[in-house]
Protein backbone atom coordinates (compact mmCIF):
# COMPACT_ATOMS: atom_id res chain seq x y z
CA UNK A 1 0.00 0.00 0.00
CA UNK A 2 1.42 3.38 -0.85
CA UNK A 3 2.58 5.77 1.85
CA UNK A 4 0.21 8.56 0.81
CA UNK A 5 -2.77 6.33 1.51
CA UNK A 6 -1.32 5.21 4.87
CA UNK A 7 -0.67 8.85 5.84
CA UNK A 8 -4.25 9.74 4.92
CA UNK A 9 -5.55 6.85 7.03
CA UNK A 10 -3.24 7.85 9.92
CA UNK A 11 -4.54 11.40 9.77
CA UNK A 12 -8.14 10.25 9.71
CA UNK A 13 -7.62 7.84 12.63
CA UNK A 14 -5.86 10.54 14.67
CA UNK A 15 -8.64 13.06 14.08
CA UNK A 16 -11.41 10.60 14.93
CA UNK A 17 -9.61 9.16 17.96
CA UNK A 18 -9.14 12.68 19.32
CA UNK A 19 -12.86 13.30 18.94
CA UNK A 20 -13.80 9.96 20.53
CA UNK A 21 -11.50 10.51 23.52
CA UNK A 22 -12.74 14.05 24.06
CA UNK A 23 -16.46 13.45 23.59
CA UNK A 24 -17.45 9.80 23.89
CA UNK A 25 -15.22 8.10 26.47
CA UNK A 26 -16.52 8.87 29.95
CA UNK A 27 -13.39 7.90 31.92
CA UNK A 28 -11.96 11.00 33.65
CA UNK A 29 -8.39 9.67 33.42
CA UNK A 30 -8.62 9.96 29.63
CA UNK A 31 -9.72 13.62 29.72
CA UNK A 32 -6.11 14.79 29.86
CA UNK A 33 -4.82 12.60 27.01
CA UNK A 34 -3.51 14.16 23.81
CA UNK A 35 -2.78 12.10 20.72
CA UNK A 36 0.55 13.18 19.25
CA UNK A 37 0.94 10.67 16.41
CA UNK A 38 -0.59 7.60 14.79
CA UNK A 39 1.46 4.97 12.93
CA UNK A 40 -0.42 2.24 11.07
CA UNK A 41 1.29 -0.79 9.55
CA UNK A 42 1.15 -1.16 5.76
CA UNK A 43 -1.29 -4.06 6.02
CA UNK A 44 -3.55 -1.99 8.34
CA UNK A 45 -3.54 -4.70 11.01
CA UNK A 46 -1.91 -2.67 13.81
CA UNK A 47 -1.95 0.96 14.77
CA UNK A 48 0.37 2.53 17.34
CA UNK A 49 -1.23 5.56 18.93
CA UNK A 50 1.26 7.85 20.65
CA UNK A 51 -0.21 9.84 23.53
CA UNK A 52 0.85 12.35 26.14
CA UNK A 53 -0.91 13.51 29.29
CA UNK A 54 -1.29 16.92 30.86
CA UNK A 55 0.40 15.87 34.10
CA UNK A 56 3.21 13.31 34.29
CA UNK A 57 1.73 11.69 37.41
CA UNK A 58 -1.45 10.80 35.47
CA UNK A 59 0.45 8.80 32.84
CA UNK A 60 -0.06 5.30 34.30
CA UNK A 61 -3.77 5.82 35.03
CA UNK A 62 -4.37 7.22 31.56
CA UNK A 63 -2.61 4.32 29.81
CA UNK A 64 -4.52 1.81 31.95
CA UNK A 65 -7.83 3.53 31.15
CA UNK A 66 -7.03 3.61 27.44
CA UNK A 67 -6.26 -0.11 27.53
CA UNK A 68 -9.56 -0.81 29.31
CA UNK A 69 -11.53 1.31 26.84
CA UNK A 70 -9.75 -0.06 23.75
CA UNK A 71 -12.73 -2.17 22.63
CA UNK A 72 -15.19 0.72 22.89
CA UNK A 73 -12.75 3.09 21.17
CA UNK A 74 -12.13 0.65 18.31
CA UNK A 75 -15.87 0.06 17.83
CA UNK A 76 -16.52 3.83 17.75
CA UNK A 77 -13.66 4.27 15.32
CA UNK A 78 -15.13 1.62 13.00
CA UNK A 79 -18.29 3.69 12.54
CA UNK A 80 -16.30 6.87 11.84
CA UNK A 81 -13.38 5.80 9.59
CA UNK A 82 -14.10 4.40 6.15
CA UNK A 83 -11.76 1.41 5.95
CA UNK A 84 -12.72 -2.25 5.74
CA UNK A 85 -10.81 -3.45 8.80
CA UNK A 86 -10.06 -1.26 11.82
CA UNK A 87 -6.51 -2.00 13.00
CA UNK A 88 -5.70 -3.31 16.47
CA UNK A 89 -4.92 -0.26 18.63
CA UNK A 90 -1.81 -0.04 20.79
CA UNK A 91 -1.59 3.06 23.01
CA UNK A 92 2.00 4.10 23.74
CA UNK A 93 3.24 7.00 25.84
CA UNK A 94 5.13 9.47 23.64
CA UNK A 95 8.51 10.13 25.24
CA UNK A 96 9.64 12.58 22.55
CA UNK A 97 8.25 15.68 24.29
CA UNK A 98 10.06 14.86 27.51
CA UNK A 99 13.21 14.12 25.53
CA UNK A 100 12.92 17.51 23.82
CA UNK A 101 12.54 19.24 27.19
CA UNK A 102 15.66 17.52 28.53
CA UNK A 103 17.64 18.57 25.46
CA UNK A 104 16.43 22.16 25.88
CA UNK A 105 17.51 22.15 29.54
CA UNK A 106 20.95 20.83 28.59
CA UNK A 107 21.35 23.55 25.97
CA UNK A 108 20.40 26.22 28.54
CA UNK A 109 22.95 24.78 30.98
CA UNK A 110 25.65 24.91 28.32
CA UNK A 111 24.86 28.57 27.51
CA UNK A 112 25.02 29.57 31.18
Amino acid sequence: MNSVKIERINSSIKRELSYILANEVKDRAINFVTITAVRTTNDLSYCKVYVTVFKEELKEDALKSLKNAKGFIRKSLASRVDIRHIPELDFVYDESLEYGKRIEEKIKEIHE
Side-chain angles (χ1 to χ4, degrees):
M1 199 172 300
N2 67 21
S3 62
V4 173
K5 185 173 183 181
I6 293 291
E7 286 304 314
R8 189 171 38 84
I9 290 170
N10 286 340
S11 174
S12 181
I13 288 174
K14 181 180 177 187
R15 181 181 59 248
E16 296 305 332
L17 278 176
S18 295
Y19 179 84
I20 291 165
L21 295 182
N23 299 306
E24 295 181 11
V25 177
K26 302 298 181 209
D27 192 330
R28 293 179 53 87
I30 296 176
N31 289 350
F32 299 105
V33 170
T34 302
I35 297 174
T36 57
V38 171
R39 300 285 176 257
T40 308
T41 57
N42 285 340
D43 64 357
L44 299 177
S45 59
Y46 292 98
C47 179
K48 268 195 179 178
V49 181
Y50 294 90
V51 298
T52 60
V53 290
F54 181 63
K55 295 181 182 174
E56 177 69 24
E57 60 269 14
L58 300 174
K59 176 171 86 171
E60 293 304 318
D61 287 342
L63 288 173
K64 194 164 126 183
S65 295
L66 285 168
K67 186 176 180 182
N68 291 338
K70 194 184 300 190
F72 171 79
I73 294 168
R74 194 166 176 235
K75 184 178 175 187
S76 297
L77 194 59
S79 67
R80 302 172 77 67
V81 177
D82 189 26
I83 54 177
R84 185 175 299 149
H85 175 75
I86 296 297
E88 199 62 43
L89 301 175
D90 182 23
F91 293 98
V92 179
Y93 188 74
D94 188 350
E95 304 282 346
S96 65
L97 294 176
E98 288 177 29
Y99 180 74
K101 285 180 188 175
R102 285 196 304 269
I103 296 294
E104 249 181 65
E105 289 170 6
K106 295 292 182 191
I107 291 172
K108 278 184 183 177
E109 288 175 19
I110 291 170
H111 284 294
E112 291 173 358

